[in-house]
């Protein structure tokens, strides 16, 4: 038999600190459990043990505390985020069929030592997994130790047997106890001999093997007199330390090796637990995906639905129809019946405006069919309920929300069962949305928006591929010239894209001052190069090289590959990605076209309207600051926006105590950085770096800003205070963002949570407003100018394509609908322009 023994506290501790904080939608921390399961699964895969036992410490004094009052004194307690995961881990282990062991007055190490002794007695192999070096004393012919360690910043597991231990330390296993007796252990507050460190202790044990010999022969030992005195003074402490550091191998663990063999456990219970922890990918890896359901009806407290399989008859549908599809199969669940339907019947059902429908992925459906009276989308509902989730697949949602399989009468298969589960999932999500106050957000914003995005994806954006190719070629020529100039300065050619080679060229060949050095060489990141911009002409050239190379590879060359046969780029607009509610664009990301440099702006020239058409471009003016003014109810900021005064100039005049007409461009720029920085919870350190001033100056700007707009500061403080109580923040339209980081004991995580609490309601409200504007523009264009189409959204900017003669009308519609999208304490303002291409239309 091979027994795998884990030090539960040690392994979960390493997992907890090695993985970023993870939480469920309800705020339960899970990263320690998640990491532990992965480690255990990997160890079982590598070792193939017959049995597994996991030892845990009890949060009570042990026999070592009775022996020495100072034992483990000063050790920090387990953080709450980890402590809350301990009972969950033990439940998981028990449900998985693994043996959990705890022992009054003994530590996990003692349990491991006892199990190792039992294995040796019965001629079995024992493998101990731990992050604690103390267990190395347990190594024998039958016992190995897998020590979790960190090397060069990366985690690794070192397999120690007697040979590996001797190679590393030059000691036998039992001599590791003697080593601790002399050098002590600061983590456990074991004193050792005062003044004797690891190097001296290792030398003594290597030559004399144990402290008995050392102290019996202390007068004649071949050691320095200073060491002899330290040993003599610390004799009592050395023997105490040996007792404290010796692992007990006779703890009353109360199990046999046979009882440590893995059992089947409780599969259903394990699925329920991992579902509640939202470990869906892990479940799939472990073959625990509930098939075909997440929770059996018999296991819920509610009365199960009864659904009959019958032939589809559209005229018999009354109430809501839940349409489900999977692998080109289609079904409809309505009331107490489920029917398999054809693709044609599905299309007919979707197009019937008299029947209210619940579906999955309304945007994708809308790209193919003009669906009417869709009142619910499980994908969008899942996103609103848990915006931090990594997946909103139907089976995941069923598991996460505990959808039960109804009692089905008639001949059914897995597909029809999944259709019934989907119907139940919709009901569970409906309940969750109502409970969180987000049902109207789904029906009034997200559902109608899905139709708009589908239209935009189908339409795409016309691109001048020849112009892009020409620009790419020109950039390539300029890049070659820059490369040659850099090589002239360095005196040799090298790979400019290799950080290692570049570091050598800049900091060794050219002798520039190195600011950062990583394990692999000198740091040559953007921050470092910007700091050296004027130290040597080669650095400025290098920055230009990187900028132009990015433009050429990502945009000129990259965008050309994305052009479809119709000459247009059809980006995908993701409605369920950003936690704040923002829409993102991918494949390619058209929201990321550079705008800050002249070279980047030129790219917009190649996004154009088709022949006889123009582009109408409208964007909001400072929408997030206007939202901030409204939600904070700051009278000074509200008055500034109502008066039409430039907010950045006004802020500069008040922060710098300067008349408006004497505000310089630099002052306005710094005030602008503070204005927008406040929205993102910026601190003095970050602001100082952004605008190139001292931290003290940046701090004074922030304080001056908050004095100018006092209600903003009050709003921010109250938002954080409320979020700490509830665990989430909301937009003006009820969208939630959950912030478990606010309850973290880790200062950096808590600070991140506070920044997010400040920013999410503002950025999220702005995102909701632009979504409402998109819906209003789309619907009004359909009514008044049906040939004009909305084709792109870039955060606070909308672009429509229309006939040239309709341009002024469309610009007016864009401006009016954007400005009337929401009623705030300050006016929303938008400006619209038109032109043949995106650059020209920006005005």
């Amino acid at each position: 038999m091979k027994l795998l023994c884990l030090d539960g506290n040690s392994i979960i501790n390493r997992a907890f600190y090695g993985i970023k904080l993870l939480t469920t939608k309800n705020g339960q921390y899970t990263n320690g459990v998640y990491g532990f399961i992965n480690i255990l699964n990997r160890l079982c895969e590598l070792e193939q043990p017959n049995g597994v036992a996991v030892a845990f410490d009890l949060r009570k004094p042990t026999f070592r505390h009775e022996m020495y009052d100072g034992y483990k004194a000063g050790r920090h307690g387990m953080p709450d985020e980890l402590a809350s995961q301990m009972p969950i881990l033990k439940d998981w282990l028990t449900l998985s069929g693994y043996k959990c062991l705890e022992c009054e007055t003994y530590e996990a190490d003692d349990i491991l030592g006892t199990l190792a002794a039992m294995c040796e007695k019965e001629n079995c192999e024992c493998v101990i997994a731990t992050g604690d070096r103390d267990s190395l004393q347990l190594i024998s012919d039958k016992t190995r130790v897998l020590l979790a360690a960190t090397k060069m910043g990366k985690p690794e597991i070192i397999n120690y047997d007697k040979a590996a231990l001797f190679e590393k330390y030059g000691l036998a296993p039992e001599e590791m106890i003697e080593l601790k007796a002399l050098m002590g252990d600061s983590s456990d507050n074991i004193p050792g001999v005062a003044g004797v460190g690891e190097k001296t202790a290792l030398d003594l044990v290597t030559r004399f093997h144990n402290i008995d010999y050392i102290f019996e022969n202390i007068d004649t030992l071949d050691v320095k007199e200073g060491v002899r005195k330290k040993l003599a003074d610390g004799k009592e402490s050395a023997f105490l330390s040996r007792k404290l550091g010796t692992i007990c191998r006779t703890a009353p663990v109360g199990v046999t090796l046979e009882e440590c063999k893995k059992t089947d456990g409780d599969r259903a219970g394990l699925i329920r637990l991992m579902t509640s922890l939202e470990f869906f990918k892990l479940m799939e890896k472990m073959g625990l995906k509930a098939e075909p359901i997440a929770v059996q009806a018999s296991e819920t407290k509610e009365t199960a639905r009864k659904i009959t399989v019958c032939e589809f008859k559209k005229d018999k549908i009354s109430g809501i129809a839940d349409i489900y599809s999977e692998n080109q199969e289609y079904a409809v669940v309505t009331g107490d019946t489920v029917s398999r339907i054809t693709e044609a019947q599905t299309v007919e059902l979707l197009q019937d405006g008299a029947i209210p429908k619940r579906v999955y992925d309304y945007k994708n459906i809308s790209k193919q069919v003009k669906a009417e009276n869709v009142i619910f989308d499980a994908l969008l509902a899942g996103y609103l309920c848990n915006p931090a989730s990594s997946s909103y697949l139907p089976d995941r949602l069923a598991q996460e929300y505990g959808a039960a399989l109804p009692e089905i009468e008639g001949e059914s298969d897995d597909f029809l069962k999944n259709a019934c589960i989907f119907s139940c999932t919709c009901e569970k999500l409906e309940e969750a949305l109502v409970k969180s106050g987000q049902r109207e957000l789904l029906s009034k914003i997200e559902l109608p928006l899905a139709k708009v995005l589908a239209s935009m994806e189908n339409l795409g954006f016309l691109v001048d591929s020849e112009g892009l190719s020409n620009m790419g070629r020109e950039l390539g020529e300029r890049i070659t010239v820059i490369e040659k100039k850099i090589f002239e300065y360095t005196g040799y050619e090298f790979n400019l894209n290799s950080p290692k080679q570049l570091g050598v060229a800049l900091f060794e060949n050219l002798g520039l001052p190195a600011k950062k050095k990583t394990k692999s060489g000198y740091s040559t990141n953007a921050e470092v190069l910007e700091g050296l911009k004027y130290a040597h002409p080669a650095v400025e050239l290098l920055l230009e090289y990187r900028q132009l190379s990015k433009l050429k590879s990502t945009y000129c060359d990259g965008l050309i590959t994305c052009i479809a046969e119709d000459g247009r780029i059809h980006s995908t607009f993701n409605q369920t990605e950003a936690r704040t509610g923002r829409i993102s664009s991918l494949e390619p990301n058209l929201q990321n076209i550079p705008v800050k440099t002249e070279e980047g702006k030129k790219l917009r020239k190649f996004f154009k309207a088709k022949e006889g058409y123009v582009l109408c471009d409208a964007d909001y003016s400072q929408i997030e600051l206007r939202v901030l003014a409204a939600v904070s109810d700051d009278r000074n900021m509200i008055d500034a926006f109502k008066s039409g005064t430039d907010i950045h100039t006004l802020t500069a005049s008040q922060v710098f105590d300067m008349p408006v007409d004497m505000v310089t461009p630099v002052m306005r720029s710094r005030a602008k950085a503070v204005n927008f920085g406040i929205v993102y919870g910026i601190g003095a350190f970050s602001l100082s770096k952004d605008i190139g001033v001292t931290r003290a100056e940046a701090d004074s700007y922030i304080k001056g800003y908050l004095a100018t707009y006092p209600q903003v500061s009050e709003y921010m403080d109250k938002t954080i205070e409320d979020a700490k109580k509830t665990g989430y923040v909301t937009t003006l339209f009820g969208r939630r963002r959950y912030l478990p980081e606010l309850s973290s004991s880790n200062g950096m995580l808590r600070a991140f949570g506070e920044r997010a609490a400040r920013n999410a309601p503002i950025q999220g409200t702005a995102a909701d407003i632009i979504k409402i504007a998109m819906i209003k523009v789309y619907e009004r264009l359909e009514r008044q100018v049906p040939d004009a189409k909305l084709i792109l959204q870039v955060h606070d900017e909308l672009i429509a394509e229309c006939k040239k003669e309709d341009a002024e009308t469309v610009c007016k519609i864009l401006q009016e609908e954007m400005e009337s999208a929401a009623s705030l304490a300050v006016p929303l303002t938008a400006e619209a322009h038109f032109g043949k291409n995106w650059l020209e239309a920006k005005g």
Side-chain angles (χ1 to χ4, degrees):
M1 176 179 173
K2 180 194 281 191
L3 180 66
L4 174 63
C5 302
L6 287 86
D7 182 337
N9 290 75
S10 173
I11 298 297
I12 194 174
N13 198 61
R14 283 192 164 266
F16 176 79
Y17 287 106
I19 299 174
K20 69 175 184 178
L21 274 184
L22 302 174
T23 67
T24 65
K25 63 179 180 297
N26 297 323
Q28 171 61 56
Y29 293 101
T30 59
N31 57 320
V33 178
Y34 183 86
F36 187 102
I37 295 170
N38 276 318
I39 291 169
L40 175 55
N41 288 346
R42 180 65 180 147
L43 290 173
C44 287
E45 185 182 324
L46 289 171
E47 294 292 340
Q48 297 291 312
N50 307 98
V52 174
V54 185
F56 290 99
D57 293 326
L58 286 169
R59 301 181 82 171
K60 296 179 181 179
T62 68
F63 70 89
R64 292 181 179 85
H65 291 90
E66 294 173 8
M67 192 183 299
Y68 177 52
D69 286 342
Y71 183 62
K72 291 192 176 180
R75 179 179 281 196
H76 293 298
M78 187 182 290
D80 292 341
E81 297 93 328
L82 176 55
S84 68
Q85 298 182 57
M86 296 302 290
I88 295 171
L89 174 62
K90 292 171 187 177
D91 285 348
W92 184 90
L93 289 165
T94 302
L95 292 168
S96 298
Y98 295 117
K99 183 64 71 176
C100 286
L101 297 174
E102 297 170 335
C103 201
E104 286 276 353
T105 74
Y106 291 89
E107 296 179 63
D109 282 348
D110 302 317
I111 298 172
L112 299 176
T114 302
L115 292 171
M118 290 166 63
C119 286
E120 288 164 18
K121 185 177 179 181
E122 297 188 28
N123 201 31
C124 297
E125 185 180 356
C126 181
V127 181
I128 294 171
T130 181
D132 190 344
R133 203 170 63 162
D134 289 350
S135 291
L136 295 176
Q137 64 184 267
L138 300 175
I139 293 170
S140 69
D141 292 335
K142 292 291 181 183
T143 301
R144 287 182 289 118
V145 171
L146 302 178
L147 187 69
T150 303
K151 186 175 183 181
M152 301 293 283
K154 294 182 179 179
E156 65 173 0
I157 293 178
I158 306 170
N159 189 349
Y160 278 108
D161 55 13
K162 281 184 173 180
L165 181 69
F166 189 82
E167 184 179 344
K168 173 71 175 176
Y169 295 100
L171 301 178
E174 63 274 11
E175 292 174 336
M176 296 299 291
I177 307 171
E178 311 299 324
L179 185 68
K180 179 167 283 196
L182 293 172
M183 63 179 281
D185 183 345
S186 59
S187 67
D188 287 340
N189 201 36
I190 294 176
V193 174
V196 173
E198 183 172 7
K199 185 177 179 182
T200 301
L202 197 55
D203 172 65
L204 290 169
V205 178
T206 301
R207 290 194 290 143
F208 306 120
H209 307 295
N210 60 67
I211 63 172
D212 298 299
Y213 180 89
I214 289 171
F215 287 104
E216 284 169 8
N217 300 278
I218 193 164
D219 294 331
T220 58
L221 285 180
D222 178 19
V223 295
K224 294 178 180 178
E225 283 307 312
V227 172
R228 194 188 317 278
K229 185 175 187 314
K230 288 174 184 175
L231 288 170
D233 292 344
K235 178 179 179 180
E236 186 178 338
S237 181
F239 281 99
L240 171 64
S241 297
R242 184 166 70 175
K243 282 183 182 179
L244 292 171
T246 301
I247 292 174
C248 173
R249 308 192 67 177
T250 56
V253 294
V255 294
T256 64
L257 293 184
E258 188 67 25
E259 289 170 329
C260 291
K261 286 185 176 177
K262 188 179 184 303
T263 67
D264 292 337
D266 179 354
R267 181 186 173 89
L270 184 61
I271 288 171
R272 280 198 299 273
L273 176 61
M274 294 186 74
T275 295
S276 71
L277 298 174
E278 299 169 18
F279 287 173
F280 302 115
K281 285 187 180 178
L282 202 49
M283 289 170 69
E284 288 176 21
K285 281 184 187 177
M286 295 172 64
L288 287 173
K289 184 179 177 183
E291 296 178 348
I293 57 170
V295 181
Q296 295 286 349
S298 60
E299 294 169 350
T300 67
K301 294 178 182 177
E302 60 199 73
T303 304
R305 284 171 65 185
K306 289 185 179 180
I307 294 182
T308 303
V309 179
C310 64
E311 185 182 343
F312 173 67
K313 291 182 180 178
K314 188 160 82 75
D315 59 339
K316 296 291 185 184
I317 292 177
S318 61
I320 298 170
D322 296 325
I323 299 175
Y324 179 75
S325 66
E326 180 186 322
N327 300 325
Q328 295 186 316
E329 286 189 279
Y330 305 89
V332 59
V333 181
T334 177
D336 56 2
T337 65
V338 59
S339 306
R340 195 183 297 270
I341 54 178
T342 65
E343 184 176 357
Q345 288 172 324
T346 303
V347 171
E348 184 185 353
L349 191 53
L350 286 166
Q351 291 176 333
D352 192 328
I355 300 172
K357 293 165 283 286
R358 295 190 294 205
V359 300
Y360 180 85
D361 197 353
Y362 181 42
K363 186 189 76 170
N364 189 48
I365 290 170
S366 296
K367 288 178 72 174
Q368 303 165 65
V369 181
K370 190 175 180 182
E372 301 289 348
N373 202 4
V374 172
I375 63 167
F376 190 85
D377 178 355
L379 170 62
L380 293 175
Y383 166 65
L384 291 177
C385 287
N386 186 7
S389 179
S390 60
S391 171
Y392 303 103
L393 292 172
D395 59 339
R396 289 278 186 91
L397 293 172
Q399 292 169 337
E400 189 172 343
Y401 292 90
L405 176 65
E407 185 180 325
I408 301 176
E409 294 181 356
E411 192 174 332
S412 67
D413 54 18
D414 282 352
F415 171 69
L416 289 180
K417 288 177 182 176
N418 286 342
C420 293
I421 292 169
F422 173 72
S423 179
C424 293
T425 302
C426 289
E427 291 175 359
K428 293 286 186 182
L429 286 166
E430 288 261 22
E431 291 171 11
L433 279 180
V434 171
K435 187 177 180 181
S436 67
Q438 297 182 99
R439 185 60 181 86
E440 191 169 303
L441 186 63
L442 175 68
S443 58
K444 297 287 180 67
I445 297 181
E446 296 297 347
L447 273 174
L449 178 71
K451 192 162 62 173
V452 179
L453 296 179
S455 171
M456 287 164 56
E457 288 182 13
N458 280 338
L459 290 165
F461 206 144
L462 187 64
V463 178
D464 179 359
S465 59
E466 186 178 348
L468 272 178
S469 295
N470 290 338
M471 183 176 177
R473 195 160 40 249
E474 290 170 11
L475 288 173
E477 291 169 1
R478 289 174 61 186
I479 288 166
T480 300
V481 171
I482 291 170
E483 281 180 324
K484 288 180 180 177
K485 286 182 179 177
I486 293 172
F487 296 152
E488 285 173 11
Y489 282 120
T490 58
Y492 67 98
E493 293 186 9
F494 61 95
N495 182 359
L496 288 175
N497 298 313
S498 165
K500 191 171 184 178
Q501 293 182 37
L502 180 60
V504 170
L506 294 179
F507 304 116
E508 294 181 12
N509 185 281
L510 294 179
L512 297 178
K515 295 195 175 182
K516 292 183 181 178
K517 192 167 185 181
T518 63
K519 297 180 183 73
S520 56
Y522 299 98
S523 173
T524 58
N525 64 23
E527 183 183 350
V528 169
L529 294 185
E530 282 292 340
L532 295 170
K533 188 173 182 177
Y534 303 110
H536 195 284
V539 179
E540 199 164 358
L541 285 169
L542 185 62
L543 287 166
E544 186 180 1
Y545 167 84
R546 285 187 175 178
Q547 178 197 324
L548 298 183
S549 296
K550 173 78 172 176
L551 280 173
K552 183 180 186 305
S553 61
T554 303
Y555 298 106
C556 293
D557 300 343
L559 288 173
I560 286 172
T561 64
C562 297
I563 299 173
E565 289 182 8
D566 61 0
R568 301 173 82 94
I569 286 179
H570 299 267
S571 180
T572 298
F573 297 100
N574 198 326
Q575 201 175 348
T576 60
E577 184 179 85
R579 296 186 186 188
T580 57
R582 271 189 167 190
I583 299 165
S584 61
S585 163
L586 62 152
E587 296 179 348
N589 183 359
L590 294 185
Q591 295 180 335
N592 207 29
I593 302 296
V595 292
K596 291 184 178 178
T597 64
E598 287 304 313
E599 294 292 348
K601 286 179 182 177
K602 285 181 185 176
L603 284 168
R604 296 192 171 204
K605 183 172 64 176
F606 305 116
F607 288 84
K608 61 181 186 177
K610 61 187 178 183
E611 192 66 35
Y613 283 65
V614 293
L615 298 178
C616 298
D617 184 300
D619 61 78
Y620 278 115
S621 170
Q622 302 155 341
I623 185 170
E624 291 188 352
L625 287 178
R626 291 171 189 271
V627 169
L628 175 59
V631 297
S632 67
D633 197 29
D634 188 280
R635 299 317 307 173
N636 290 344
M637 192 178 283
I638 289 170
D639 290 344
F641 278 120
K642 282 186 172 180
S643 69
T645 307
D646 177 72
I647 190 71
H648 303 312
T649 301
L650 184 64
T651 300
S653 75
Q654 292 172 330
V655 169
F656 295 109
D657 194 21
M658 189 77 62
V660 168
D661 57 359
M662 292 185 69
V663 170
T664 66
V666 171
M667 288 177 181
R668 184 186 182 278
S669 175
R670 289 180 178 178
K672 183 178 179 180
V674 180
N675 267 328
F676 286 116
I678 289 293
V679 174
Y680 290 89
I682 201 167
F685 177 72
S686 298
L687 180 64
S688 67
K689 290 175 69 177
D690 288 350
I691 61 177
V693 298
T694 66
R695 190 168 181 174
E697 284 178 286
D699 186 56
S700 71
Y701 295 163
I702 292 173
K703 285 176 179 172
Y705 174 95
L706 295 176
T708 300
Y709 305 120
Q711 278 75 42
V712 169
S713 181
E714 290 174 16
Y715 163 76
M716 295 294 190
D717 291 343
K718 188 174 186 311
T719 298
I720 293 169
E721 183 184 337
D722 290 346
K724 285 180 177 178
K725 292 175 185 174
T726 62
Y728 60 85
V729 291
T730 61
T731 69
L732 285 180
F733 299 90
R735 183 185 305 276
R736 287 189 181 186
R737 177 170 180 183
Y738 294 92
L739 293 168
E741 296 88 354
L742 286 172
S743 62
S744 173
S745 60
N746 181 298
M748 288 182 66
L749 279 171
R750 200 165 54 252
F752 165 79
E754 291 179 359
R755 288 195 300 274
R758 293 186 190 102
N759 170 246
I762 299 162
Q763 191 181 104
T765 297
D768 288 339
I769 290 171
I770 192 77
K771 286 178 175 181
I772 294 168
M774 291 171 73
I775 296 162
K776 288 164 67 70
V777 167
Y778 175 84
E779 292 175 349
R780 188 167 166 192
L781 288 177
E782 276 201 326
R783 291 195 307 270
Q784 292 182 221
V785 195
D787 191 59
K789 303 294 180 184
L790 201 57
I791 60 172
L792 184 64
Q793 182 253 35
V794 183
H795 305 314
D796 58 358
E797 175 184 3
L798 296 182
I799 301 174
E801 187 175 25
C802 69
K803 289 178 181 176
K804 188 175 181 180
E805 57 266 32
D806 294 327
E808 289 187 4
T809 301
V810 171
C811 281
K812 183 182 178 185
I813 289 172
L814 280 166
Q815 184 174 339
E816 288 178 355
E817 297 304 336
M818 289 174 74
E819 291 184 346
S820 64
S823 179
L824 302 179
V826 296
L828 291 173
T829 62
E831 287 189 13
H833 306 276
F834 64 89
K836 293 178 183 178
N837 58 58
W838 192 359
L839 181 64
E840 194 177 301
K842 279 296 286 183

